[in-house]
Amino acid sequence: MSLMELEFERQSNPVDMIEYVAANNDWAFERSGEDEIAMTVEGKWADYHVSFSWMEEFEALHLGCAFDIKVPEARVNEVTKLLAAINGQVLMGHFDLWRQEDVIIFRQSLLLAGGAEPTNRQVEVLLSSALDTCEAYYQAFQFVIWSGLDAAKAMEAVLFETVGEA
């Protein structure tokens, strides 16, 4: 018997924990199915459309975080370069271009193999780290898509750190 053939009985659906955390934080959410929940979270630069999906076959809780920036066909190559540059900087998760809708999406998963249950702290950190990452690079996508900057210049602009506030 291989390790992959072992079966564990899960105490609850991990999406139930997402719903619990969302309710406790007064976040508006929609439970679209047993294994999915979606919410919109307001950020500094945009509203982020966040969905959590339980993927039983992988024993993974998948987070997808999209924002409303349509990528025109003429900017796809430069956005792809930007995605590669950003993903080289990101420790957990990654950005992707979702071609069905031509939008940028951030993806990250929480592995819950062996019947592990997510804690509310894990859920909060998963969501907050995804939102922090989206906030950190949102402007780079704007620079490439709307301002016509190349990926390298857009990265320079968002990685430029200022001290204090004006």
Side-chain angles (χ1 to χ4, degrees), residues 24-106:
N24 280 346
N25 285 289
D26 293 322
W27 298 334
F29 63 88
E30 181 180 330
R31 185 87 181 246
S32 54
E34 183 179 329
D35 294 335
E36 294 182 25
I37 190 168
M39 60 189 76
T40 299
V41 180
E42 185 178 331
K44 180 179 178 182
W45 303 112
D47 287 342
Y48 299 101
H49 309 288
V50 180
S51 65
F52 290 89
S53 301
W54 172 240
M55 303 172 83
E56 181 70 39
E57 64 275 17
F58 301 109
E59 293 186 279
L61 184 62
H62 178 263
L63 174 146
C65 183
F67 36 92
D68 288 329
I69 295 183
K70 291 278 187 186
V71 180
E73 190 63 37
R75 300 304 293 160
V76 167
N77 286 341
E78 204 59 39
V79 166
T80 302
K81 291 176 187 175
L82 181 60
L83 289 169
I86 291 172
N87 287 337
Q89 300 287 318
V90 176
L91 177 61
M92 292 180 286
H94 69 279
F95 284 97
D96 198 0
L97 175 58
W98 187 27
R99 288 308 306 249
Q100 291 91 334
E101 299 289 330
D102 286 327
V103 296
I104 306 298
I105 187 166
F106 180 80

Side-chain angles (χ1 to χ4, degrees), residues 128-141:
S128 68
S129 69
L131 293 173
D132 289 347
T133 303
C134 288
E135 288 280 284
Y137 294 103
Y138 180 83
Q139 287 186 304
F141 291 110

Side-chain angles (χ1 to χ4, degrees), residues 13 20 50 60 68 72 91 95 100 108 122 137 144 162 165:
N13 185 322
Y20 172 80
V50 180
D68 288 329
L91 177 61
F95 284 97
Q100 291 91 334
Q108 188 173 347
Q122 286 174 313
Y137 294 103
V144 167
T162 58
E165 291 184 21

Side-chain angles (χ1 to χ4, degrees), residues 114-151:
E117 300 289 336
T119 66
N120 55 353
R121 180 70 180 136
Q122 286 174 313
V123 169
E124 289 170 353
V125 169
L126 181 66
L127 179 58
S128 68
S129 69
L131 293 173
D132 289 347
T133 303
C134 288
E135 288 280 284
Y137 294 103
Y138 180 83
Q139 287 186 304
F141 291 110
Q142 282 185 315
F143 291 150
V144 167
I145 295 167
W146 293 336
S147 299
L149 285 181
D150 64 38

